[in-house]
PDB file of all heavy atoms in Angstrom:
ATOM      1  N   VAL G 485      26.952  -4.072  28.164  1.00 97.00           N
ATOM      2  CA  VAL G 485      26.279  -3.265  27.174  1.00 97.00           C
ATOM      3  C   VAL G 485      25.233  -4.115  26.461  1.00 97.00           C
ATOM      4  O   VAL G 485      25.469  -5.298  26.201  1.00 97.00           O
ATOM      5  CB  VAL G 485      27.317  -2.754  26.146  1.00 97.00           C
ATOM      6  CG1 VAL G 485      26.643  -2.130  24.922  1.00 97.00           C
ATOM      7  CG2 VAL G 485      28.221  -1.732  26.810  1.00 97.00           C
ATOM      8  N   TRP G 510      36.839   1.119  37.126  1.00 97.00           N
ATOM      9  CA  TRP G 510      37.045   1.380  35.664  1.00 97.00           C
ATOM     10  C   TRP G 510      35.856   0.982  34.799  1.00 97.00           C
ATOM     11  O   TRP G 510      35.762   1.333  33.620  1.00 97.00           O
ATOM     12  CB  TRP G 510      38.278   0.645  35.132  1.00 97.00           C
ATOM     13  CG  TRP G 510      38.264  -0.816  35.503  1.00 97.00           C
ATOM     14  CD1 TRP G 510      38.811  -1.390  36.598  1.00 97.00           C
ATOM     15  CD2 TRP G 510      37.667  -1.907  34.757  1.00 97.00           C
ATOM     16  NE1 TRP G 510      38.583  -2.767  36.626  1.00 97.00           N
ATOM     17  CE2 TRP G 510      37.915  -3.109  35.487  1.00 97.00           C
ATOM     18  CE3 TRP G 510      36.994  -1.971  33.548  1.00 97.00           C
ATOM     19  CZ2 TRP G 510      37.473  -4.350  35.046  1.00 97.00           C
ATOM     20  CZ3 TRP G 510      36.535  -3.224  33.094  1.00 97.00           C
ATOM     21  CH2 TRP G 510      36.802  -4.404  33.846  1.00 97.00           C
ATOM     22  N   HIS G 514      34.756   1.828  30.809  1.00 98.00           N
ATOM     23  CA  HIS G 514      34.889   0.704  29.855  1.00 98.00           C
ATOM     24  C   HIS G 514      33.580   0.469  29.102  1.00 98.00           C
ATOM     25  O   HIS G 514      33.547   0.455  27.880  1.00 98.00           O
ATOM     26  CB  HIS G 514      35.312  -0.534  30.612  1.00 98.00           C
ATOM     27  CG  HIS G 514      35.428  -1.755  29.766  1.00 98.00           C
ATOM     28  ND1 HIS G 514      36.627  -2.247  29.323  1.00 98.00           N
ATOM     29  CD2 HIS G 514      34.472  -2.612  29.293  1.00 98.00           C
ATOM     30  CE1 HIS G 514      36.412  -3.327  28.587  1.00 98.00           C
ATOM     31  NE2 HIS G 514      35.116  -3.575  28.528  1.00 98.00           N
ATOM     32  N   GLU G 515      32.494   0.290  29.852  1.00 98.00           N
ATOM     33  CA  GLU G 515      31.191  -0.044  29.209  1.00 98.00           C
ATOM     34  C   GLU G 515      30.751   1.071  28.279  1.00 98.00           C
ATOM     35  O   GLU G 515      30.275   0.830  27.171  1.00 98.00           O
ATOM     36  CB  GLU G 515      30.118  -0.381  30.244  1.00 98.00           C
ATOM     37  CG  GLU G 515      30.438  -1.578  31.147  1.00 98.00           C
ATOM     38  CD  GLU G 515      30.736  -2.868  30.399  1.00 98.00           C
ATOM     39  OE1 GLU G 515      30.261  -3.044  29.264  1.00 98.00           O
ATOM     40  OE2 GLU G 515      31.474  -3.704  30.918  1.00 98.00           O
ATOM     41  N   HIS G 518      32.350   1.237  24.937  1.00 98.00           N
ATOM     42  CA  HIS G 518      31.836   0.303  23.901  1.00 98.00           C
ATOM     43  C   HIS G 518      30.936   1.007  22.926  1.00 98.00           C
ATOM     44  O   HIS G 518      30.809   0.596  21.786  1.00 98.00           O
ATOM     45  CB  HIS G 518      31.094  -0.842  24.582  1.00 98.00           C
ATOM     46  CG  HIS G 518      31.950  -1.965  25.005  1.00 98.00           C
ATOM     47  ND1 HIS G 518      32.703  -2.686  24.139  1.00 98.00           N
ATOM     48  CD2 HIS G 518      32.148  -2.545  26.233  1.00 98.00           C
ATOM     49  CE1 HIS G 518      33.392  -3.665  24.791  1.00 98.00           C
ATOM     50  NE2 HIS G 518      33.036  -3.585  26.062  1.00 98.00           N
ATOM     51  N   SER G 532      36.345  -4.909  20.003  1.00 98.00           N
ATOM     52  CA  SER G 532      35.494  -4.075  20.858  1.00 98.00           C
ATOM     53  C   SER G 532      36.069  -4.040  22.288  1.00 98.00           C
ATOM     54  O   SER G 532      36.100  -2.982  22.941  1.00 98.00           O
ATOM     55  CB  SER G 532      34.066  -4.560  20.849  1.00 98.00           C
ATOM     56  OG  SER G 532      34.002  -5.960  20.918  1.00 98.00           O
ATOM     57  N   GLU G 533      36.520  -5.218  22.806  1.00 98.00           N
ATOM     58  CA  GLU G 533      37.036  -5.222  24.137  1.00 98.00           C
ATOM     59  C   GLU G 533      38.379  -4.508  24.220  1.00 98.00           C
ATOM     60  O   GLU G 533      38.698  -3.841  25.239  1.00 98.00           O
ATOM     61  CB  GLU G 533      37.181  -6.655  24.671  1.00 98.00           C
ATOM     62  CG  GLU G 533      35.876  -7.430  24.787  1.00 98.00           C
ATOM     63  CD  GLU G 533      34.892  -6.770  25.705  1.00 98.00           C
ATOM     64  OE1 GLU G 533      35.239  -5.804  26.405  1.00 98.00           O
ATOM     65  OE2 GLU G 533      33.715  -7.211  25.729  1.00 98.00           O
ATOM     66  N   ALA G 536      37.640  -0.717  24.310  1.00 98.00           N
ATOM     67  CA  ALA G 536      37.124  -0.303  25.627  1.00 98.00           C
ATOM     68  C   ALA G 536      38.202  -0.369  26.699  1.00 98.00           C
ATOM     69  O   ALA G 536      38.316   0.490  27.594  1.00 98.00           O
ATOM     70  CB  ALA G 536      35.914  -1.160  26.008  1.00 98.00           C
ATOM     71  N   SER G 537      39.098  -1.382  26.613  1.00 98.00           N
ATOM     72  CA  SER G 537      40.177  -1.514  27.635  1.00 98.00           C
ATOM     73  C   SER G 537      41.203  -0.394  27.426  1.00 98.00           C
ATOM     74  O   SER G 537      41.761   0.106  28.441  1.00 98.00           O
ATOM     75  CB  SER G 537      40.863  -2.882  27.483  1.00 98.00           C
ATOM     76  OG  SER G 537      39.897  -3.895  27.605  1.00 98.00           O
ATOM     77  N   TYR G 591      41.431  -9.173  25.485  1.00 97.00           N
ATOM     78  CA  TYR G 591      41.208  -7.767  25.822  1.00 97.00           C
ATOM     79  C   TYR G 591      42.464  -6.966  25.530  1.00 97.00           C
ATOM     80  O   TYR G 591      42.411  -5.865  24.981  1.00 97.00           O
ATOM     81  CB  TYR G 591      40.795  -7.596  27.300  1.00 97.00           C
ATOM     82  CG  TYR G 591      39.340  -7.893  27.580  1.00 97.00           C
ATOM     83  CD1 TYR G 591      38.745  -9.078  27.120  1.00 97.00           C
ATOM     84  CD2 TYR G 591      38.566  -7.002  28.312  1.00 97.00           C
ATOM     85  CE1 TYR G 591      37.409  -9.343  27.397  1.00 97.00           C
ATOM     86  CE2 TYR G 591      37.217  -7.255  28.610  1.00 97.00           C
ATOM     87  CZ  TYR G 591      36.668  -8.440  28.160  1.00 97.00           C
ATOM     88  OH  TYR G 591      35.346  -8.696  28.436  1.00 97.00           O
TER      89      TYR G 591
HETATM   90 ZN1  LIG D 161      33.762  -4.874  27.513  1.00 82.71          ZN
END
Side-chain angles (χ1 to χ4, degrees):
V485 168
W510 52 269
H514 177 100
E515 298 305 334
H518 273 300
S532 44
E533 296 302 350
S537 302
Y591 280 50

